[in-house]
Amino acid sequence: MGIPPLVSPGPELTAEQKARYARHILLPQIGLEGQRRLANARVLVVGAGGLGSPALLYLAAAGAGTIGVVDDDVVDASNLQRQVVHGVADVGRPKTESAAETVAAVNPLVQVVRHDVRLDSSNALEILADYDVVLDGADNFPTRYLVNDACVLLGLPHVWGSIYRFDGQVSVWFAGVGPCYRCVFPDPPPPDAVPSCATGGVLGVLCASIGSVQVAEAVKLITGEGEPLVGRLLVHDSLRQTWDTLTVRADPSCPVCGEDPSVTGLVDYEQFCAVPAPSGAYAADAGPGGGAGAGGGPAAYGEVSATELARMLAERDRGDREFELVDVREPGEREVVSIPGARALHLDRFRDGVAAGELPEGVPVVLVCKSGVRSAEAAGLLAASGRADVANLKGGVLAWVRDVDPSLPVY
């Protein structure tokens, strides 16, 4: 299904522009007019990470006139395996700063607009309103739903990409022309039901495969050529090296773009994709039977800080304290970094109800994951089974590295 071009042609190209974009101009479907549309286009890239990196590079190379990039994060060494817009020298720098510098080196003829903020309900409409098309490279569900709803309200198409391990997906959501993201994914998954790349890993080059498709879709939308992925979901399996196409349709009952929408403004997307908050306050000095589980109700559990846990482990090593430290992460995560003395017991065993029987009775338990979210779920499940003295390590392994042993790697 063809779509009229999103962007009108800009001024006549200069000799420098003609020389740079000659291989585009030679394509009958683009030509001088299509390149002028690209030069006049304003494209926003949400996230300067795995998908944003190739998207930014290829948008710049293609000559997209104004490229916005929104990200509030800084470059980390663990990003470099896939986020090719950044280099070793950029570690610690704002991602937007690093990305803008790299884009300028690729093509000084394009303008980069930095948005050094976290996109949320208070700023999304104002930021997105300045652009013709949005490329969504977000790595979390609150931002995905936020971008979708903002694009629907503004009448913008957005090119969505998603990656995990060896698999990727791409589509173009364009309410009024085809489905929006909510038509196909009406409800966010339960917290941690879909692990992030930070916990499950991702093949670095997969980002290039999906990100380059996103740019191709943006170019087609801008120039009005070809058949954009409106109403189609492209699914890629890099291990089998296959690409499959699924037909998707607009939902008349969609809450944001349907016939009688109930979502007429941006909402709190963190709450919409809510993660339950921890309950109780763990008494780090309590012996068996004296922690937050005692008297706190069947689902009550508490928290310990990384420094509290370090003291508890030292006391356990001296024989002055007894407790179980349980790591609920994936095996690969534990191979990157682990807290000494932790026992491995995957979160799924808590979900299945098996873990409670595998832990010694009457012994306090402290649970740990990467950042404290999955271990909080495990703590709640264990406490709900009737166990007392259950606690969660606040901030997870990342807090341990930050506050106790900075020599350990992070991921």
Side-chain angles (χ1 to χ4, degrees), residues 1-3 158 160 169-174 177-179 184-185 217 220 225-235 244-250:
M1 176 180 63
I3 295 177
H158 90 273
W160 166 80
Q169 301 177 68
V170 191
S171 191
V172 175
W173 311 117
F174 198 175
V177 180
V184 181
F185 304 103
E217 292 303 303
K220 287 154 60 179
E225 292 296 334
E227 297 184 9
L229 284 171
V230 175
R232 292 181 293 153
L233 178 64
L234 194 61
V235 181
D244 299 305
T245 305
L246 306 177
T247 299
V248 291
R249 295 181 173 85

Side-chain angles (χ1 to χ4, degrees), residues 298-318:
Y301 65 92
E303 288 184 333
V304 295
S305 68
T307 53
E308 287 173 327
L309 178 59
R311 176 168 57 83
M312 293 167 64
L313 286 170
E315 293 172 353
R316 188 175 75 170
D317 290 343
R318 294 196 304 266

Side-chain angles (χ1 to χ4, degrees), residues 93-118:
R93 297 176 69 192
K95 286 186 176 180
T96 55
E97 180 181 293
S98 169
E101 188 174 288
T102 303
V103 166
V106 169
N107 188 355
L109 302 182
V110 303
Q111 178 186 7
V112 180
V113 179
R114 291 172 51 188
H115 302 279
D116 301 336
V117 296
R118 182 173 183 82

Side-chain angles (χ1 to χ4, degrees), residues 117-347:
V117 296
R118 182 173 183 82
L119 201 65
D120 60 29
S121 300
S122 69
N123 57 29
L125 290 175
E126 180 180 1
I127 292 173
L128 270 62
D130 286 337
Y131 295 90
D132 302 303
V133 60
V134 177
L135 267 69
D136 181 8
D139 62 355
N140 64 87
F141 287 100
T143 304
R144 289 173 185 168
Y145 283 95
L146 166 68
V147 170
N148 175 77
D149 292 2
C151 284
V152 172
L153 294 173
L154 292 168
L156 296 175
H158 90 273
V159 187
W160 166 80
S162 175
I163 52 174
Y164 178 62
R165 291 188 170 172
F166 299 94
D167 302 322
Q169 301 177 68
V170 191
S171 191
V172 175
W173 311 117
F174 198 175
V177 180
C180 78
Y181 179 75
R182 281 214 204 207
C183 291
V184 181
F185 304 103
D187 300 305
D192 269 342
V194 181
S196 68
C197 293
T199 59
V202 62
L203 181 67
V205 71
L206 177 67
C207 302
S209 300
I210 301 302
S212 62
V213 173
Q214 288 184 276
V215 176
E217 292 303 303
V219 170
K220 287 154 60 179
L221 289 166
I222 291 165
T223 61
E225 292 296 334
E227 297 184 9
L229 284 171
V230 175
R232 292 181 293 153
L233 178 64
L234 194 61
V235 181
H236 177 46
D237 180 339
S238 64
L239 282 182
R240 294 191 301 124
Q241 207 55 263
T242 58
W243 295 83
D244 299 305
T245 305
L246 306 177
T247 299
V248 291
R249 295 181 173 85
D251 179 4
S253 63
C254 175
V256 65
C257 77
E259 297 171 355
D260 186 21
S262 58
V263 178
T264 57
L266 301 184
V267 300
D268 184 336
Y269 293 89
E270 295 291 341
Q271 184 178 15
F272 178 63
C273 305
V275 176
S279 64
Y282 184 76
D285 289 321
Y301 65 92
E303 288 184 333
V304 295
S305 68
T307 53
E308 287 173 327
L309 178 59
R311 176 168 57 83
M312 293 167 64
L313 286 170
E315 293 172 353
R316 188 175 75 170
D317 290 343
R318 294 196 304 266
D320 297 334
R321 177 189 289 271
E322 182 182 15
F323 72 96
E324 286 277 336
L325 177 62
V326 179
D327 191 326
V328 304
R329 297 176 298 158
E330 301 288 338
E333 294 179 84
R334 297 195 302 273
E335 290 178 2
V336 175
V337 58
S338 293
I339 298 175
R343 169 182 178 177
L345 199 57
H346 194 273
L347 176 59

